[in-house]
Amino acid sequence: MVLRTLFPHPIIQGPTAGGQNTPAQIAAVSNAGALGSLACSLLTPDAMRSQVEQIRSLTARPFALNFFVQTTPQVDPAELEQARRLLRPVLDVLGWDELPLPAKWCEDFSAQFETLLELRPAVASFTFNILSAGQVARLRAAGIVVVGTITTVAEALAWQEVGADAVIASGVESGGHRGTFLGRQEDATLSTFDLLAAVADKISIPVVSAGGIMDGADIKRALDLGAVAVQMGTAFLVVDESAITPAYKARLLAPDRPATRLTRSFSGRYARGLENRFMSLMAPVEAQVPAYPIQNALTGAIRAEAGKRGDTELMSLWCGSGVARARPMPAAQLVATLLAEIAAA
């Protein structure tokens, strides 16, 4: 169990892409004895280097870097025009005549991968797809522990086959994007603890449990079911060091917050967040929007503008189904609180 030798406490702070992670957040979590994780999926290689340098200036403890395994798409002009038409109701709300086109569809994963090898963090985790056995071997040769995100037993077996050190079993309660890469995303519906039990029974490598885990009692249950650790995204989304906007944080913590649901409207890949006007406007055409990363890039300007306006009705308010139990406090205090709750449980 190489993964669990790296950090004293069985808690991994889930990576949250889109600039919501900060080096201060990752360092605070790792300094508290858990494992901090930096979302690198939307970062250029230079931004990766800069943020890793900042993290290492704040902690000498291990941390993880997280990536979307993807290829840059070839975009059909007709598909692009159709996608822009589908977003017309949202543009009307903004008062925009046209949707600005993105400068690029996604970051170059191959360049990110080479930068990852250069930076040599203790742990690298991956989602959206699977690495080749050769890529896993290169990472392990560099001393990097390799962890794959899965939503089904078949995906867990696939990551074990290519040589991963562990998997993160992401239940349907998880906030943000689903990591499904085998079969249809809408068929990966196992709950967190059902998925954990099913996966732990079928593979020999360690399993990290994720999805709706918010307190020490949840952690204890996961450990009792065979997890070596848990990954908690939503719980750490509202800590003081998180970089989510004030409006986003206020919406997550509001007592009258709407329910969460899965949608592919924002990005073209199913993801869980708070229900809002954007989701409602796009619901009739949700099945027609292009796959990630095209839709994600197209809605980037909309989400950025919503952030500037503080308009949470047009933001992607990613969070898990347990958001009602989120607690705002410093990251180190949250780790200490969770450890006390585990002991009490």
Side-chain angles (χ1 to χ4, degrees):
M1 292 189 186
V2 176
L3 177 68
R4 278 295 290 117
T5 66
L6 295 173
F7 47 104
H9 307 311
I11 300 166
I12 299 172
Q13 163 253 317
T16 46
Q20 296 161 8
N21 280 160
T22 63
Q25 180 190 39
I26 282 78
V29 171
S30 289
N31 283 333
L35 185 71
S37 302
L38 176 68
C40 293
S41 48
L42 305 181
L43 300 182
T44 65
D46 282 346
M48 287 170 56
R49 293 184 186 98
S50 174
Q51 294 204 27
V52 167
E53 182 180 6
Q54 292 176 61
I55 293 168
R56 285 179 167 149
S57 73
L58 297 170
T59 185
R61 290 183 178 268
F63 57 89
L65 301 183
N66 174 261
F67 298 87
F68 295 165
V69 181
Q70 60 188 341
T71 56
T72 302
Q74 297 295 316
V75 181
D76 177 75
E79 180 187 28
L80 179 58
E81 187 55 37
Q82 167 72 356
R84 296 173 80 179
R85 283 198 300 269
L86 294 177
L87 285 165
R88 185 73 259 167
V90 180
L91 302 187
D92 289 343
V93 173
L94 286 170
W96 287 3
D97 293 329
E98 293 292 335
L99 177 67
L101 287 180
K104 57 185 171 183
W105 299 111
C106 63
E107 292 300 325
D108 180 353
F109 176 68
S110 61
Q112 290 179 326
F113 187 83
E114 296 304 320
T115 308
L116 164 62
L117 286 164
E118 168 196 323
L119 294 172
R120 297 197 178 203
V123 180
S125 62
F126 302 89
T127 189
F128 286 16
N129 212 327
I130 190 169
L131 298 180
S132 68
Q135 288 173 314
V136 173
R138 290 184 68 196
L139 292 170
R140 295 186 71 179
I144 301 170
V145 172
V146 179
V147 184
T149 302
I150 61 94
T151 61
T152 65
V153 172
E155 291 172 348
L157 290 167
W159 270 107
Q160 178 172 265
E161 179 68 22
V162 297
D165 295 288
V167 294
I168 298 166
S170 177
V172 74
E173 301 94 327
S174 296
H177 286 97
R178 301 292 286 142
T180 307
F181 61 91
L182 293 178
R184 300 192 323 148
Q185 293 172 43
E186 48 267 65
D187 292 338
T189 58
L190 283 181
S191 67
T192 296
F193 294 118
D194 287 345
L195 179 63
L196 169 60
V199 169
D201 184 56
K202 295 295 184 181
I203 66 173
S204 58
I205 59 176
V207 182
V208 176
S209 185
I213 296 173
M214 299 299 294
D215 60 24
D218 294 339
I219 297 171
K220 179 68 162 52
R221 182 180 177 189
L223 298 177
D224 288 345
L225 284 171
V228 299
V230 299
Q231 179 168 279
M232 306 172 71
T234 302
F236 283 96
L237 195 58
V238 298
V239 298
D240 293 357
E241 297 88 347
S242 170
I244 66 173
T245 66
Y248 184 176
K249 183 178 286 191
R251 192 72 181 275
L252 295 182
L253 296 173
D256 61 345
R257 76 185 69 76
T260 68
R261 78 166 175 86
L262 291 167
T263 180
R264 66 187 302 273
S265 297
F266 282 106
S267 73
R269 173 178 276 270
Y270 279 102
R272 181 176 296 281
L274 293 183
E275 177 87 41
N276 63 4
R277 190 177 184 186
F278 186 104
M279 287 192 200
S280 300
L281 287 171
M282 294 297 293
V285 298
E286 182 176 319
Q288 301 173 47
V289 304
Y292 192 100
I294 298 170
Q295 180 73 0
N296 190 65
L298 287 174
T299 65
I302 295 170
R303 289 176 283 120
E305 179 65 21
K308 292 176 186 175
R309 298 184 186 187
D311 184 356
T312 57
E313 289 300 324
L314 298 180
M315 294 180 188
S316 49
L317 301 171
W318 302 139
C319 60
S321 63
V323 64
R325 295 187 288 145
R327 297 170 287 189
M329 62 181 76
Q333 183 181 340
L334 178 57
V335 173
T337 300
L338 293 169
L339 294 175
E341 290 171 346
I342 295 171

